[in-house]
Amino acid sequence: MTEFIPPGTRFLQLEQPLPMKRGGALRGARIAYETWGTRSAAGDNSILILTGLSPDAHAASSEDDPSPGWWEAMVGPGKPIDTDRWHVVCVNTLGSCKGSTGPASPSPEDGQPYRLRFPDMSIEDVADAAVRVVDALGIERLACVIGNSMGGMAALAFLLRHPGRARSHINVSGAAQALPFSIAIRSLQREAIRLDPDWNGGHYDDAHYPESGMRMARKLGVITYRSALEWDGRFGRVRLDSDRRDDEDPFGLEFEVESYLEAHARRFVRNFDPNCYLYLSRCMDWFDIGESLGGDTLAGLAAIRIERALAIGVHTDILFPLQQQEEIADGLRAGGCDARFLPLPSPQGHDAFLVDFERFGPAVRGFLDAL
Amino acid sequence: MTEFIPPGTRFLQLEQPLPMKRGGALRGARIAYETWGTRSAAGDNSILILTGLSPDAHAASSEDDPSPGWWEAMVGPGKPIDTDRWHVVCVNTLGSCKGSTGPASPSPEDGQPYRLRFPDMSIEDVADAAVRVVDALGIERLACVIGNSMGGMAALAFLLRHPGRARSHINVSGAAQALPFSIAIRSLQREAIRLDPDWNGGHYDDAHYPESGMRMARKLGVITYRSALEWDGRFGRVRLDSDRRDDEDPFGLEFEVESYLEAHARRFVRNFDPNCYLYLSRCMDWFDIGESLGGDTLAGLAAIRIERALAIGVHTDILFPLQQQEEIADGLRAGGCDARFLPLPSPQGHDAFLVDFERFGPAVRGFLDAL
């Protein structure tokens, strides 16, 4: 099984087993992370970043790895998450194939990849794994936990399960529970992978790899990560030049938008482990901050104890729709937090936080500057 | 190849070849249709209904076929499309597997199914086939052409290519051109079918049938036909009872919304021909009323000559979004038509016209009553 680990990654080898919410425990797990900036003498300037499904811990360039990170425009000296002031930690999610232990990692039992032997994994486990890193770095109280997309779910789980470990929170295009439209999309993505004969119950290898299933899953992902509005302006009805078309294939690619999806999918399918994808996708469906309170989302959010929060979303997001970020702000406020909801008019849908830095930059900077 | 033809279906056998927009001609084709009501002595009370991708010609029950039709609540005595007043004709789309000639029909060359030998089919061909029925019935001028979804595209093509053949038009959740989000969704549906090894380049049979591909395509269809808003209220996060779950399958169905998609897909996969699906899906991507005018949609619409029109859409439609029906009304108005745009707050998305009769009924009735 291939893992995809940036060169600047640091690892925390867990000495103690990590108990999993749905039962069992992970023994011998490791958590990948990177850091930027310097801890203050008071130890009160640390920010934790929790990521979406696919990013690694390399949020930004560093001395150890000068290649641009996935949030390069947001993290660095003088940038919105200003590493001249803040000590920033980005954790690669548990269950990933990018450094942290996941279904593609060797099981301590036999040294063979876990595959589907990996225990059922929940968002809460992702949060608990991140806390281990915070503990290991000796950070008693974070200045802020920032979570994007799936990381927004993990951040809420972190704050609820580990009270007192953070002063503030920025939730970026996250959600307090999975809703049926998003569950339906993710369920279909998982079905595409599982239907691929080369998935083979999780027992694929590089020679027999569920490439078609991963391609379908990724294309459906990209469709729901962006927005119709953006694509109307970007692609319209522009067709591919004849030299980019296969005239022998009567249903082959014809429009620019189809080629865009194909290119995105090609970059992804061999760079993310299919079993890891299945586990991470499913843990989002399971997430509900109000689960132990009879599904009362607002009560779950109100049980979180932090001082300040900002929930950002965009109008064009169909996967984590805007009312979910409004709900986060409402719920945190009900718990006594000074929480603000910030809807942005970005056309780029769920992915806006990865591209619309003109809007997200000032929003994040303004919140952190006022801490 | 199985065809699925309701018992009340009537057929028009085309004596002359049907020239196809992209080249070639269909010889020996037939067009399926049903009618309700009686033609007036003046011959001015006929309404033509053009359907979405999958419906047959059986829009409503009749003496020949008392089973409920797909628009039963809308068509009949005293109903919004009142067959006590109107003579109603519903045509099964060319390219379908429900009576009209399509890729599943026998080719006159060898009596074997066309499969991918069926000529490239455009929305304009669908419209021209419908005109043949209108001609055969001796209808000089229709009182109204009603088109739903894909049928809304075909209705616009009908009106543009056959001026003087209709006084008025109701466009229901249709579009004057395909936009990239919808193209992307349909492209992915076609890819799912084509990826299924049992599709076999179009050479499947009942024993080796692209069931998985059709299931994926249909599920993605249902996801985009409805709306997140509707599902939040309808399914929420409700899980299946344990006796409806397969505990042996670690990624099997778990939420009600997944079971709903599965049930929809099961009803569809063996009741619609996969090659027909591919052809009908692609002809929507190709459609652009402004194609011959350099892609100027409004100019294409403004070239249509009718007296009155109503373009209805719903706020929650992500596949044929509301601005497309507004565009239709704007464009028709620019051509001198008394055209009205009616946005409805239905929560059911693109499919609302098939279920939200409380809103669609009065809208359609009001327009027709005033004719």
Side-chain angles (χ1 to χ4, degrees), chain A residues 69-103:
Chain A
W70 57 265
W71 229 14
E72 186 70 23
M74 292 290 283
V75 180
K79 295 184 179 172
I81 303 171
D82 186 352
T83 53
D84 286 338
R85 176 179 175 196
W86 302 108
H87 171 242
V88 179
V89 184
C90 180
V91 171
N92 175 235
T93 179
L94 186 73
S96 175
C97 52
K98 295 184 173 174
S100 293
T101 295

Side-chain angles (χ1 to χ4, degrees), chain A residues 22 116 120 177-181 183-185 187-192 194-195 197 199 212-213 215-216 219-220 223-224 226-229 231-233 235-237 239 245 249-255 257-258 261-262 275 278-279 282 284-288 291 318 321 323, chain B residues 22 116 120 177-181 183-185 187-192 194-195 197 199 212-213 215-216 219-220 223-224 226-229 231-233 235-237 239 245 249-255 257-258 261-262 275 278-279 282 284-288 291 318 321 323:
Chain A
R22 292 189 162 233
L116 301 199
D120 285 356
Q177 61 168 193
L179 289 178
F181 179 85
I183 292 174
I185 292 285
S187 174
L188 202 54
Q189 291 173 304
R190 295 193 297 271
E191 187 168 353
R194 292 159 56 224
L195 275 175
W199 178 61
S212 300
R215 190 166 69 237
M216 290 290 297
K219 285 187 179 183
L220 184 51
I223 289 174
T224 54
R226 310 299 291 213
S227 88
L229 179 69
W231 286 1
D232 290 349
F235 302 115
R237 292 183 49 75
R239 283 178 162 84
R245 292 174 58 172
D249 182 353
F251 295 95
L253 306 183
E254 174 170 353
F255 290 93
V257 67
E258 294 178 284
L261 289 178
E262 183 71 20
N275 289 336
L278 293 175
Y279 274 80
R282 186 179 56 179
M284 280 190 269
D285 289 1
W286 281 342
F287 184 61
D288 180 1
E291 189 178 21
I318 58 173
Q323 68 266 27
Chain B
R22 291 188 162 233
L116 301 198
D120 285 357
Q177 61 168 193
L179 290 177
F181 179 85
I183 292 173
I185 292 285
S187 174
L188 202 54
Q189 291 174 305
R190 295 193 297 268
E191 187 169 353
R194 292 159 54 225
L195 275 174
W199 179 61
S212 300
R215 190 167 68 238
M216 289 291 296
K219 285 187 178 182
L220 183 51
I223 289 174
T224 54
R226 310 299 290 212
S227 89
L229 179 69
W231 287 2
D232 290 350
F235 303 116
R237 293 182 48 76
R239 283 177 162 84
R245 292 174 58 173
D249 182 353
F251 294 96
L253 307 183
E254 176 170 353
F255 290 92
V257 68
E258 294 177 283
L261 288 179
E262 183 71 20
N275 290 335
L278 293 175
Y279 273 79
R282 185 180 57 179
M284 279 189 269
D285 289 0
W286 282 341
F287 185 61
D288 180 1
E291 190 178 19
I318 58 174
Q323 70 265 25

